[in-house]
Amino acid sequence: MALLNVEASVPPFMWAVVRLLAAEGKPLLVDRARSFLAPPSLTEGKETKTFDQTVRTLRDLGLIAEEDSHIRLAGHAVTVDGTDFAAFAACLRCAVLDSDLNAGLAQDPAQTGPRDLTRTLVWFLSRDPLGEAATWDIAQLDQSVDLNPEAGTASKNDTRWNRFVHWAPALGFGATPLLPTPGKGPLSPDCTAAIKQTMLTMWGIGERVNAVDAAQALRTALPVLPGGEYATALGIPDPGARSAGPALSFALLRGEDEGWLVLQQDADAQRILSLHDPDRPSHYVSDIVISEDQNG
């Protein structure tokens, strides 16, 4: 089932089910979970598919397993304690970007599994975070031009785009503009949250890593970034090993502003990374130091 399809769930509902299962700490009867999350007193006796759609979506992503009328956490979700949404977002991101679930991404236009979401993320993250926020009008005009035509259009209608507006921020890849803008679902390509969570997983506080190596590691972990495997396969230009490109540059510069990393430039460094920085046209970084996480 395509994740942007109306028959699939969205992250807020999925988080509710995961929180319940994490709190229980053991398999839970499906009917009992439904009675907790979709009781008749809230649905007013009306038939609702929300719970079943959520369970099916989580199961398709490998985040829960269903056996003998019981459901339990599975895959990346087994370590989620139900109190930290960022941890859930990280496991959800891993599931969505899983290579098996995205097989044939660039050759097969099928809208199944996370492929439609992944394709839209690739197009979305190829945009400049400092440029105009993306809307449905922009998406339907640009994505069919920017992406590999063999892969087909990512978001086929405004309903799927509206669902993407739920998914991108939850996965750490998007943010709503601070100032209101016209259009359906204005959204800016801000991957700072995903970059931060990934970097703090890869490297410890105080660790220093070459900036070129860091960029490569991040593109491997998050292949929807320009220069990543999925983006390249879908025809997005590769900024090159020694250029961060707009999306990654924005996240790194914001990380330094927020204080959870330090960008360093060693004059004698042999390998340097060029940042896309309108304030400093020639902004080069040789190393990145993970500093104290000042934002929790």
Side-chain angles (χ1 to χ4, degrees):
M1 177 182 298
L3 285 183
L4 297 183
N5 191 300
V6 294
E7 295 300 318
S9 188
V10 289
F13 298 144
M14 300 164 73
W15 174 227
V17 173
V18 168
R19 287 186 69 184
L20 175 62
L21 293 177
E24 285 292 313
K26 60 182 180 181
L28 188 64
L29 274 168
V30 174
D31 289 341
R32 184 167 174 79
R34 183 184 292 106
S35 70
F36 278 129
L37 298 174
S41 59
L42 291 181
T43 59
E44 298 181 348
K46 299 177 182 178
E47 182 179 359
T48 175
K49 298 180 181 179
T50 301
F51 175 80
D52 293 325
Q53 290 173 342
T54 303
V55 168
R56 183 167 60 249
T57 303
L58 285 166
R59 188 180 61 234
D60 289 348
L61 288 174
L63 297 178
I64 67 170
E66 186 171 358
E67 301 169 349
D68 299 326
S69 300
H70 286 72
I71 52 176
R72 59 175 174 81
L73 296 180
H76 298 289
V78 295
T79 59
V80 176
D81 64 8
T83 65
D84 183 1
F85 181 80
F88 169 67
C91 79
L92 188 60
R93 188 166 56 246
C94 287
V96 166
L97 300 181
D98 181 85
S99 58
D100 290 336
L101 296 181
N102 286 284
L105 185 71
Q107 298 82 29
D108 183 357
Q111 302 283 318
T112 55
R115 293 177 182 84
D116 58 342
L117 174 57
T118 302
R119 293 185 184 112
T120 309
L121 283 170
V122 164
W123 167 80
F124 181 63
L125 291 171
S126 71
R127 297 177 57 80
D128 188 344
L130 298 177
E132 183 182 6
T135 63
W136 166 240
D137 289 340
I138 291 173
Q140 65 178 328
L141 178 65
D142 291 353
Q143 64 179 338
S144 60
V145 176
D146 294 340
L147 294 181
N148 177 357
E150 292 182 7
T153 302
S155 291
K156 291 182 176 294
N157 53 56
D158 60 347
T159 299
R160 291 196 175 195
W161 173 255
N162 290 338
R163 295 174 69 82
F164 176 75
V165 172
H166 286 283
W167 273 98
L171 295 175
F173 290 125
T176 303
L178 184 61
L179 299 177
T181 58
K184 287 187 177 180
L187 198 67
S188 296
D190 181 355
C191 61
T192 304
I195 293 294
K196 178 180 179 180
Q197 291 171 347
T198 304
M199 293 186 76
L200 293 178
T201 299
M202 289 180 168
W203 302 294
I205 301 299
E207 191 167 351
R208 176 174 176 160
V209 59
N210 175 264
V212 175
D213 291 340
Q216 181 57 47
L218 289 168
R219 288 166 176 158
T220 299
L222 305 171
V224 288
L225 291 173
E229 180 182 357
Y230 295 165
T232 301
L234 287 169
I236 299 300
D238 187 340
R242 301 199 178 192
S243 176
L248 179 54
S249 295
F250 182 83
L252 295 176
L253 290 169
R254 184 176 163 188
E256 184 169 54
D257 286 341
E258 293 177 349
W260 49 270
L261 62 78
V262 177
L263 303 175
Q264 297 184 338
Q265 182 177 357
D266 184 345
D268 296 326
Q270 297 297 312
R271 301 167 66 238
I272 57 175
L273 184 71
S274 173
L275 298 184
H276 179 80
D277 185 354
D279 295 329
R280 292 176 58 184
S282 298
H283 192 165
Y284 300 102
V285 177
S286 60
D287 298 281
I288 300 174
V289 178
I290 308 302
S291 59
E292 292 292 338
D293 180 4
Q294 300 178 8
N295 293 284

